[in-house]
Amino acid sequence: MKSRLIYIWILLVAFVISLGSCREDFLERYPLDQMTDATFFTSANDLKVMVNGFYRLFPRYHFQQGGNAHNGYLDANTDIQVGTGPSGALLQRGSSGQAPATDGFWNSSFSWIRQINYLITNSERVPSDVEADQYIGEAHFFRAWVYFNMLQRYGDVPIYTEVLETDSEALYRTRDSRYDVAKFILQDLDIAIEKMDWKNSVFSKQGRVNRESALVMKARVALYEGSWEHYHGAKSTPFAVSGKDGNEFLEMVEPAIQELIDHQGDALFSKGGPLNEAYNQILSQKDASSSEGVFLYRIYDVNEIVGHNFYDKVVDNPQSPTKKLVDNYLDKNGVPQELSSLPVDPKHLNSLGENLDPRFRQSIWTPDRGPHNQIVGFETQALPLRYPTINNIFTANYSSTGFRVWKGAIFDANEWRNGSVDDVLIRYAEGLLALAEAKAILGTITQSDLDKTVNVLRNRVGMPAMVLSEVNSWPISYSTKKGFDPSASNIVNEIRREREVELVFEGHRERDLKRWAVFHDVINGWKPKGAYSQEFVDYFNDPSKLTADGLGSVDAQKYGLTLGVNYDVHEDGFLNPFFVNPDFKESGEGYFVEPGRAYLSAIPRNEIDLYMEAGVELTQNPGWF
């Protein structure tokens, strides 16, 4: 622990040297030789310069809490999106449960907390005004951000608010309960909400944290911890919080989101690009400052040397949607597929696009759009294919399931390979759905609640309104294998479905399955399925279809599909993306996670040993040793 503190001090000095970010609002630098406690914290600008460095906490385009991800990848290795091979994290059969010796996430999190505490402590010396309040509010938001990531990963963690020295008595502190950690996070967010201004105001602009994002973040935390207590308590899992039913946190969601609704109304991003698909284009804006309903975003601008390379993720995306996701979409009349009177044919992608919720077609590619290089913004695409390749010897246009992510496609021909599209982190939809879900769990939801939340989102895509009485009258059985709760009301499950569909590929799925206490139910024994195989065989084994779409006659011969060689199927004819792995053949056992361990990560063994040397017990999480 002491060695880590020395390391933190080194980081703090380096941190000040490297302060700054993109666009003019983040370009200030502060000379290291001028930073002392006596001279630095004297103005609001000093706070701004230091808090700017905290924006590095937000995930870059290929990271999500240390994982390789971005929009289009963030639900990777859950039940709704898979890669080109099985995820090792979901193959725990035979795993001993021995905790790792070290964990960079643990160390880096406490490093950030110390830096943020340093700012908050010294901010008391800065004269109070509106500008100073903005940056103090941002600091509290960032501390909440770090602690929430730790809460999700570890549950109980030590809470630090002071700046510790190597000889501080509080250096070795036992883990505070997750209940207390959640309360602490929400208190920080309340301070952030009080002090920060609305998006695009004088001091809360150009990608800065704002009041809207803090309100949604408060709802995210309250819903997460409230539903965790509710469901894990009801199932008496090893992760239950003794004496808590979740109501205290769930009841915090409505006041936060109602304040947001009073400010935002039903204003959502509605510019649809050349295909008039506003929902698709939420994640594809060069300047998200003007995107209504996008509250927090990370700025990218190649002119400021902060570009990215995720512009072509829908063309060459190794993370592919699954049939389980597709099956969960309602039809375009707002009815579950198993009750639909429409000609929904799961064996044909175009039928799904024509008959399902319009968000399906705006999230997943359908061949009726034509070859890729006929879409505005994709004219330079080398392979004019109407379907993604499922033959894994090809990298371009490859999809292991046959379903390709289309949400977030960049239709601007000048921007497609420019790398200046902003990265959306928090948007209005999440807050609206949090309100609906919290009230559904509490059993207090009304039609009025649905009209100001779920139905605002449905209206943007032309989806029929959700009607409470109709939903609760459906003769439908909900399965835990699909992430539902058979013991709950229809409306609770339909809001889960709505959340899955609206927020797909944005990184919420794993967190949701764990807080609902169904993660192991969904994952264990699961063998992913993709699209129906015959449609792909008919296309790629017919050179005339390939040449008609613009592929040369020589190249057209390369894409032939041979069963059991470069593709395979489940018994029902739907693609098996992991067919080369025996665990995922018909006789295989599929995925497995340990139910008594998979919901929280281990506390690193070295930390436990350091605490023990100091005479303090740092307890381990369930299932780990």
Side-chain angles (χ1 to χ4, degrees):
M1 174 69 88
K2 289 185 178 181
S3 62
R4 189 170 73 221
L5 265 179
I6 294 170
Y7 171 68
I8 293 170
W9 271 114
I10 295 172
L11 279 181
L12 185 58
V13 174
F15 163 78
V16 176
I17 294 175
S18 64
L19 290 175
S21 185
C22 49
R23 290 191 188 162
E24 61 186 15
D25 193 42
F26 290 165
L27 291 177
E28 283 87 349
R29 301 287 192 275
Y30 205 93
L32 178 63
D33 61 4
Q34 296 180 27
M35 183 192 172
T36 67
D37 283 349
T39 64
F40 188 73
F41 291 103
T42 59
S43 69
N45 190 66
D46 292 345
L47 298 175
K48 177 182 179 182
V49 169
M50 189 169 184
V51 82
N52 282 351
F54 300 157
Y55 280 80
R56 293 180 296 157
L57 273 164
F58 291 145
R60 290 183 62 80
Y61 62 88
H62 61 298
F63 288 101
Q64 173 73 3
Q65 297 183 16
N68 187 17
H70 174 64
N71 290 334
Y73 292 72
L74 290 178
D75 287 327
N77 297 317
T78 67
D79 62 322
I80 64 175
Q81 194 175 25
V82 297
T84 57
S87 167
L90 304 181
L91 280 173
Q92 299 177 6
R93 194 174 286 106
S95 175
S96 70
Q98 183 178 27
T102 60
D103 183 346
F105 186 89
W106 176 278
N107 288 329
S108 64
S109 296
F110 282 114
S111 297
W112 280 111
I113 288 167
R114 189 181 196 285
Q115 294 174 34
I116 298 168
N117 286 344
Y118 182 76
L119 184 149
I120 291 174
T121 298
N122 285 281
S123 68
E124 297 175 359
R125 299 167 45 217
V126 176
S128 178
D129 59 23
V130 174
E131 183 178 7
D133 278 353
Q134 171 67 30
Y135 309 131
I136 294 170
E138 290 182 27
H140 283 276
F141 179 94
F142 283 115
R143 189 165 66 181
W145 182 277
V146 176
Y147 263 112
F148 183 53
N149 284 337
M150 293 188 75
L151 174 70
Q152 294 172 85
R153 190 177 180 97
Y154 305 115
D156 304 352
V157 291
I159 298 173
Y160 293 99
T161 59
E162 67 271 44
V163 182
L164 298 178
E165 308 298 338
T166 56
D167 58 352
S168 297
E169 290 185 6
L171 191 59
Y172 296 97
R173 178 175 294 165
T174 57
R175 298 168 69 186
D176 290 285
S177 71
R178 64 177 302 136
Y179 171 82
D180 288 335
V181 175
K183 292 279 286 186
F184 176 69
I185 293 169
L186 291 164
Q187 289 166 5
D188 259 349
L189 290 171
D190 282 338
I191 295 172
I193 292 164
E194 177 186 358
K195 289 185 175 294
M196 292 193 300
D197 212 338
W198 300 105
K199 177 184 174 184
N200 292 336
S201 59
V202 175
F203 300 115
S204 181
K205 59 184 179 182
Q206 294 182 313
R208 301 203 77 92
V209 183
N210 46 48
R211 185 177 299 174
E212 292 99 326
S213 55
L215 287 165
V216 176
M217 188 67 182
K218 180 177 180 180
R220 177 187 292 184
V221 174
L223 178 66
Y224 177 85
E225 194 59 17
S227 55
W228 183 286
E229 289 183 358
H230 179 87
Y231 290 112
H232 283 276
K235 294 185 175 183
S236 298
T237 76
F239 312 98
V241 183
S242 179
K244 303 295 181 181
D245 61 6
N247 288 3
E248 177 183 357
F249 291 116
L250 292 171
E251 289 169 356
M252 294 181 186
V253 176
E254 183 174 19
I257 300 306
Q258 188 58 55
E259 179 180 346
L260 187 58
I261 291 172
D262 291 342
H263 173 76
Q264 185 74 14
D266 59 0
L268 294 171
F269 176 76
S270 58
K271 299 175 183 176
L275 299 182
N276 193 31
E277 296 185 347
Y279 171 77
N280 174 286
Q281 291 293 284
I282 299 168
L283 306 181
S284 305
Q285 298 307 299
K286 187 173 182 180
D287 182 2
S289 65
S290 59
S291 298
E292 290 183 301
V294 172
F295 298 145
L296 184 61
Y297 53 96
R298 184 160 185 157
I299 293 172
Y300 289 93
D301 188 340
V302 292
N303 295 322
E304 301 289 354
I305 322 179
V306 283
H308 56 68
N309 65 355
F310 62 80
Y311 34 72
D312 60 354
K313 64 181 181 292
V314 298
V315 175
D316 185 11
N317 185 350
Q319 297 294 338
S320 305
T322 66
K323 185 176 185 293
K324 183 182 282 189
L325 167 65
V326 174
D327 288 345
N328 273 355
Y329 277 88
L330 300 176
D331 74 11
K332 64 183 180 182
N333 290 334
V335 176
Q337 292 182 48
E338 53 265 53
L339 302 179
S340 177
S341 61
L342 296 177
V344 180
D345 185 354
K347 296 182 178 181
H348 293 92
L349 295 179
N350 286 339
S351 174
L352 296 173
E354 293 166 0
N355 293 292
L356 296 185
D357 181 328
R359 285 170 291 191
F360 170 85
R361 194 173 185 273
Q362 294 187 45
S363 299
I364 297 175
W365 171 264
T366 53
D368 58 356
R369 298 180 186 277
H372 254 88
N373 64 353
Q374 294 180 14
I375 301 295
V376 174
F378 289 80
E379 296 92 339
T380 59
Q381 169 61 23
L383 299 176
L385 299 176
R386 189 177 298 265
Y387 290 81
T389 59
I390 56 173
N391 182 341
N392 61 11
I393 66 170
F394 303 106
T395 56
N397 289 71
Y398 176 58
S399 166
S400 64
T401 67
F403 296 116
R404 177 191 286 135
V405 172
W406 186 242
K407 183 178 180 179
I410 298 170
F411 295 143
D412 185 336
N414 296 320
E415 183 55 34
W416 186 49
R417 289 193 177 273
N418 190 24
S420 291
V421 169
D422 288 342
D423 193 3
V424 176
L425 301 174
I426 293 179
R427 63 188 184 94
Y428 194 20
E430 181 189 348
L432 295 178
L433 291 170
L435 172 55
E437 184 181 349
K439 297 203 71 174
I441 295 172
L442 289 167
T444 61
I445 194 166
T446 66
Q447 185 61 47
S448 176
D449 294 323
L450 292 176
D451 290 341
K452 66 184 181 184
T453 58
V454 172
N455 291 335
V456 169
L457 301 174
R458 286 190 171 195
N459 184 60
R460 170 169 51 193
V461 297
M463 185 73 170
M466 179 182 284
V467 179
L468 182 60
S469 59
E470 291 181 4
V471 166
N472 280 332
S473 70
W474 287 342
I476 184 171
S477 297
Y478 294 98
S479 168
T480 55
K481 297 301 294 181
K482 291 188 175 184
F484 296 121
D485 181 0
S487 68
S489 64
N490 286 12
I491 191 61
V492 167
N493 286 300
E494 288 307 315
I495 290 173
R496 287 191 185 187
R497 187 198 305 268
E498 197 73 21
R499 182 179 178 87
E500 178 183 358
V501 166
E502 174 67 27
L503 301 179
V504 69
F505 311 140
E506 296 182 44
H508 297 272
R509 183 63 172 176
E510 181 179 345
R511 178 167 63 224
D512 288 347
L513 295 178
K514 288 185 175 181
R515 67 184 175 85
W516 294 332
V518 296
F519 182 62
H520 69 283
D521 293 306
V522 168
I523 296 300
N524 286 352
W526 179 52
K527 302 170 188 176
K529 292 184 179 182
Y532 193 66
S533 61
Q534 193 61 46
E535 187 169 12
F536 289 79
V537 173
D538 291 345
Y539 181 75
F540 286 111
N541 284 359
D542 187 342
S544 66
K545 292 182 179 179
L546 298 177
T547 55
D549 280 340
L551 201 68
S553 58
V554 175
D555 287 337
Q557 303 297 322
K558 300 177 181 178
Y559 291 91
L561 297 174
T562 303
L563 186 68
V565 177
N566 52 17
Y567 88 102
D568 212 334
V569 299
H570 289 278
E571 291 180 346
D572 54 8
F574 289 89
L575 290 168
N576 180 352
F578 302 156
F579 72 92
V580 297
N581 189 309
D583 281 334
F584 295 91
K585 293 184 179 295
E586 295 301 327
S587 59
E589 296 182 273
Y591 274 130
F592 176 79
V593 294
E594 177 55 54
R597 184 173 70 230
Y599 287 81
L600 292 175
S601 295
I603 305 299
R605 296 197 317 273
N606 286 357
E607 296 299 325
I608 293 176
D609 292 342
L610 280 171
Y611 271 67
M612 187 178 299
E613 291 173 7
V616 179
E617 182 184 14
L618 188 65
T619 57
Q620 185 54 274
N621 275 328
W624 298 96
F625 65 92

